[in-house]
């Protein structure tokens, strides 16, 4: 027998799952969050729920916000269960569920006056974001804000009727400035190097298109702390919904499954205050960059490295990819030979030990993370997770056999069929042009590297071009397994 998730049902649920120890009616909003997806509900919302369970900072609850029509699906499901979420944490040796209550409302997407009014409320002191790596309107190759993007141009023309996240942030800041209310802090929770700086560039850059003086005010008065976030959180499907119902007796329309591990490292730059997140494990540091480099290059880069060989070998789950000796060995050699050596030191951290932790996390069979999830949006992820390591090695005059192979595997993947001939389903905004380039690259490898907005200066390196071309040729001639083995044997170079 199951109980529909709601505030009224919490007492009945506590026998099988953890429930909030605080009275939800005592919470008051201090944060507006754009992008209420699985990661946010398994990460930021969990940290705040933990803090509220300590009896602390009940004036920092979350109000959700969305700007896309698809956001309404999530909003409606959460509203029907009092904005509660069942979070199922799965370690290799343990599984447990708890209900979180850190979110107290979710603004209706498309209700511009309501969203701007909430952003202008003096009670809101932080606006946070999880809008994916591709949502920041930056050129993939250079990392520079792109003011010519059609969505940016549209919001610049109509600053009082925004359509996307940064337009709403600018409108909210403008309203606060007009009313003499101090600006909120803008906190990105996306996997982007220097995510605070990137967010600053997007917000200020948009404002500058319509009001340069206001953009100057944003530059001088609004805080954009950098942060590193980490927790593997796969998508929710009918299977996860069924498990929550059968194992925990909870009828949750959109539960979240995640690993037990989580990490959050933040710059302590919050002029209007912040919740005491250090009491629940968040690390506040003067410089997030070393932690970002470590996580983005080793973990996210590792995910990007195994996604495409696994897809080409018809492997569906991440843990199954790690059970394939060739892929696990490929990842280990790539990380130790080419990625870890170009990562700057991280305080109190051994990078090789960190990789061992990542390897264990990837191999966790309970998570059910999928290769299609890792393979999606490569046009945004490759320039952030893989190509920076390639560029660093090239600048140092070091070889890039393994990293070039990663790029070649991505190209081979976009030819559209696995080694067995199965069709590959893409999930990338640039899929059409990527596939066209990948098919042309079968005869002319440089056709793929001509995607200059993705590869940038890396594609101009003679060494990288040779290594990429040879790896791609080998993939087509010998297949994925044989190519990985050649790399492991040190025989993939020309």
């Amino acid at each position: 027998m199951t109980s529909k998730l709601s505030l009224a049902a919490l007492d009945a649920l506590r026998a099988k799952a953890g429930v909030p120890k605080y009275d939800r009616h005592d919470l008051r909003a201090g944060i507006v969050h754009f992008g209420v997806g699985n990661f946010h509900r398994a990460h930021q919302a969990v940290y705040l729920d933990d803090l509220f369970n300590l009896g602390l900072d009940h004036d920092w609850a979350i109000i959700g916000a969305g700007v896309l029509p698809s956001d309404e699906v999530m909003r409606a499901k959460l509203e029907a269960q009092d904005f509660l979420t069942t979070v199922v944490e799965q370690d290799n040796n343990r599984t447990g569920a708890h209900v979180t209550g850190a979110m107290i409302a979710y603004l209706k997407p498309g209700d511009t006056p309501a969203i701007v009014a909430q952003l202008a409320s003096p009670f809101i002191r932080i606006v946070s974001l999880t809008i994916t790596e591709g949502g920041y309107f930056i050129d993939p190759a250079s990392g520079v804000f792109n003011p010519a993007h059609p969505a940016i141009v549209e919001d610049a023309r109509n600053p009082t009727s925004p359509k996307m996240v940064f337009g709403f942030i600018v409108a909210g800041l403008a309203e606060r400035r007009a009313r003499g209310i101090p600006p909120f802090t803008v906190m990105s929770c996306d996997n982007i190097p220097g995510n605070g700086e990137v967010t600053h560039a997007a917000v200020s850059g948009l404002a500058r298109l319509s009001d340069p003086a206001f953009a100057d005010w944003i530059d001088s008065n609004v805080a954009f702390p950098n942060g590193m976030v980490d927790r593997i959180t796969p998508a929710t499907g009918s299977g996860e919904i069924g498990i929550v119902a059968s194992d925990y007796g909870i009828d949750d329309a959109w539960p979240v499954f995640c690993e037990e591990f989580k990490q959050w490292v933040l710059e302590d730059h919050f002029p209007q205050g912040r919740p005491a997140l250090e009491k629940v494990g968040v690390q506040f540091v003067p410089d997030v960059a070393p932690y970002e480099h470590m996580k983005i290059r080793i973990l996210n880069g590792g995910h990007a490295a195994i996604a495409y060989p696994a897809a080409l070998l018809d492997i569906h789950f991440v843990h199954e990819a790690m059970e394939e000796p060739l892929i696990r060995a490929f990842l280990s050699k790539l990380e130790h030979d080419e990625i870890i050596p170009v990562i700057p030191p991280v305080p109190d951290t051994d990078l090789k030990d960190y990789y061992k932790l990542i390897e264990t996390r990837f191999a966790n069979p309970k998570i059910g993370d999928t290769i299609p999830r890792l393979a999606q949006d490569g046009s945004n992820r490759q320039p952030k997770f893989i190509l920076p390591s390639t560029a660093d090695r090239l600048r140092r005059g070091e070889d890039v056999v393994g990293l070039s192979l990663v790029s070649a595997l991505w190209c081979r993947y976009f030819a559209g069929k696995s080694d067995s001939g199965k069709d590959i389903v893409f999930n990338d905004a640039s899929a059409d042009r990527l596939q066209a380039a990948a098919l042309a690259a079968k005869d002319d490898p440089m056709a793929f590297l001509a995607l200059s907005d993705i590869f940038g200066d890396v594609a101009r390196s003679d060494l990288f071009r040779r290594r990429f071309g040879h790896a791609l040729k080998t993939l087509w001639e010998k297949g994925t397994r044989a190519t990985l083995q050649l790399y492991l044997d040190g025989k993939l170079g020309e």
Side-chain angles (χ1 to χ4, degrees), residues 187-259:
M187 180 178 70
S188 170
C189 300
D190 279 301
N191 285 313
I192 299 175
N195 57 8
E197 295 157 15
V198 168
T199 307
H200 184 174
V203 173
S204 176
L206 172 59
R208 194 167 299 282
L209 294 175
S210 59
D211 189 342
F214 181 44
D216 291 341
W217 180 87
I218 289 172
D219 290 341
S220 300
N221 293 278
V222 182
F224 297 85
N226 289 311
M228 182 270 268
V229 296
D230 189 6
R231 189 171 222 185
I232 296 173
T233 309
T236 297
S238 59
E240 287 75 22
I241 294 171
I243 290 170
V244 169
S246 62
D247 292 4
Y248 303 103
I250 303 173
D251 178 8
D252 186 330
W254 208 325
V256 175
F257 281 58
C258 57
E259 62 178 337

Side-chain angles (χ1 to χ4, degrees), residues 290 293-295 298 335-336 339-346 348-358:
H293 274 95
M294 175 182 72
K295 191 262 178 173
I298 297 177
E335 295 270 17
H336 287 98
I339 294 177
I340 291 174
V342 293
I343 297 176
V346 180
D348 302 318
T349 303
D350 183 303
L351 295 179
K352 292 182 179 179
D353 288 344
Y354 180 78
Y355 173 72
K356 291 178 184 176
L357 172 64
I358 296 304

